[in-house]
């Protein structure tokens, strides 16, 4: 065995990794400068970073850098598998896996392209759909969190035998029927409680929950609504409750610690999310 050659090969590998790290580090600095410029440069009365076309370009740079980082890391610390949570505009995981010839598992938590179009704004729609299709088509496995997501990923190129439903997990030692319900200020003892737990965002259906709760109050005047979470729709929820005369019937906790959730969920007679 030629130990001197082995030492030379190792030195060359280390030098290559070092050079790759320098390039990635420089690229990340450029990205930081670009993102800062997009946040502070104002055009037509608002930062240019608020325009989705600019966001797409910056995101594209970030994805390329993420891919480069994965390739550099693999040279120094080879890995056997890539696990990526699917995000809008990102192909870094599946492309790195093809380059490195390792399997990739992609976790899919939501129909992101559809959500973006319905609840925010989506430009470059065909590009977004093409990226989503590439991810779903080329991943070795897709882990989706609900049955409802299965037809979504299949319609966008996923192979049926590569799709597995793996539901969001829960600590069954902590979330059990034996947990004592929380005493929540503002909610009378013995009141029937409809609950919501999650972020207060448009796609979580609060615009349907509040009118439904108002209708429930016509039949159950003592019913209470317990909203556990925080988010951009908090003011809307508070405003709706005030306008509908439900202020005394709606309780918002804001963000709570994970350890406090079991007792709050136990206080709900009906839970939504």
């Amino acid at each position: 065995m030629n130990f001197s050659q082995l030492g030379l090969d190792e030195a060359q590998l280390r030098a290559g990794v070092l050079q790759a790290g320098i390039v990635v580090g420089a690229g990340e600095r450029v990205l930081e400068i670009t993102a800062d410029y997009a946040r502070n440069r104002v055009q037509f009365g608002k930062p240019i970073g608020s325009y989705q076309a600019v966001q797409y370009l910056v995101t594209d740079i970030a994805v390329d850098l993420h891919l480069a980082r994965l390739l550099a890391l693999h040279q120094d610390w080879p890995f056997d598998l890539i696990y990526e949570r699917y995000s809008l505009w990102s192909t870094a995981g599946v492309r790195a896996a093809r380059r490195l010839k390792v399997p990739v598992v992609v976790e899919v938590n939501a129909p992101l392209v559809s959500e973006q179009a319905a609840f925010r704004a989506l430009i470059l729609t065909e590009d977004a759909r093409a990226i989503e299709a590439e991810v779903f088509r080329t991943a070795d496995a897709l882990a989706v969190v609900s049955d409802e997501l299965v037809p979504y990923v299949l319609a966008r190129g996923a192979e049926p035998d590569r799709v597995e439903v793996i539901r969001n997990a829960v600590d069954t030692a902590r979330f059990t029927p034996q947990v004592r319900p929380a005493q929540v200020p503002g909610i009378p003892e013995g009141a029937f409680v409809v609950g919501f737990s999650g972020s207060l965002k448009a796609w979580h259906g609060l615009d349907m929950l509040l009118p439904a709760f108002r209708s429930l109050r016509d039949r159950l005047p003592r019913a209470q609504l317990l909203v556990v979470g925080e988010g951009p729709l908090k003011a809307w929820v508070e405003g709706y409750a005030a306008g509908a005369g439900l202020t005394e019937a709606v309780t918002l906790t804001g963000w709570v610690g994970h350890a406090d959730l079991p007792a709050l969920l136990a206080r709900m007679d009906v839970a939504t999310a």
Side-chain angles (χ1 to χ4, degrees):
M1 179 178 293
N2 189 335
F3 290 100
S4 61
Q5 183 61 47
L6 285 176
L8 179 60
D9 291 344
E10 178 70 15
Q12 290 175 333
L13 175 61
R14 292 291 174 179
V17 172
L18 174 62
Q19 289 177 333
I22 291 172
V23 172
V24 171
E28 290 183 348
R29 178 56 182 151
V30 170
L31 175 62
E32 182 180 307
I33 294 170
T34 303
D36 186 64
Y37 181 80
R39 282 192 295 268
N40 294 291
R41 175 72 166 88
V42 175
Q43 188 71 32
F44 303 116
K46 58 182 180 179
I48 63 173
S50 64
Y51 297 104
Q52 196 177 111
V54 176
Q55 294 172 8
Y56 172 75
L57 293 173
V58 175
T59 301
D60 201 37
I61 297 171
V63 170
D64 286 343
L65 278 171
H66 186 50
L67 172 59
R69 190 184 306 115
L70 286 173
L71 298 176
L73 284 172
H74 183 73
Q75 295 302 315
D76 191 43
W77 182 40
F79 35 83
D80 302 316
L81 176 141
I82 294 174
Y83 188 98
E84 181 179 42
R85 180 170 181 172
Y86 170 58
S87 59
L88 195 64
W89 307 113
S90 178
T91 58
V94 294
R95 291 185 180 180
R98 288 204 301 272
R99 289 276 296 275
L100 300 173
K101 295 182 171 54
V102 299
V104 56
V105 177
V106 176
E107 175 189 332
V108 183
N109 288 268
L112 295 184
V113 171
S114 296
E115 278 189 357
Q116 184 76 17
F119 298 107
R120 300 186 186 96
L122 182 65
I123 64 170
L124 303 172
T125 303
E126 294 307 312
D127 291 319
R129 288 175 177 165
I131 288 171
E132 187 173 62
E134 178 184 346
V135 172
F136 294 168
R137 186 179 64 252
T138 59
D140 294 281
L142 291 172
V144 301
V145 298
S146 68
D147 293 328
E148 288 75 14
L149 280 172
V150 174
Y152 182 86
V153 299
L154 293 180
R156 287 154 181 80
E159 295 291 336
D161 60 352
R162 295 183 180 182
V163 179
E164 293 288 340
V165 178
I166 302 177
R167 305 181 198 284
N168 290 325
V170 63
D171 183 353
T172 56
R174 178 172 298 196
F175 293 84
T176 72
Q178 287 72 43
V179 173
R180 296 187 62 180
Q183 299 296 316
V184 182
I187 297 182
E189 186 72 25
F192 183 85
V193 177
V194 176
F196 171 89
S197 176
S199 57
L200 310 187
K201 295 180 178 177
W203 51 86
H204 284 165
L206 290 161
D207 59 327
M208 294 184 286
L209 177 61
L210 270 293
F213 176 71
R214 186 183 62 182
S215 297
L216 176 66
R217 288 270 295 184
D218 292 338
R219 290 186 291 164
L220 294 174
R222 296 185 66 246
Q224 295 281 313
L225 178 63
L226 173 60
V227 179
V228 179
E230 185 64 80
L233 288 185
K234 179 181 179 181
W236 182 89
V237 173
E238 292 173 333
Y240 184 98
L246 296 173
T247 300
E248 300 301 319
V250 177
T251 300
L252 291 89
T253 66
W255 286 120
V256 300
H258 189 69
D260 297 324
L261 281 175
L264 288 167
L265 293 179
R267 184 63 188 89
M268 301 173 187
D269 296 287
V270 175
T272 64

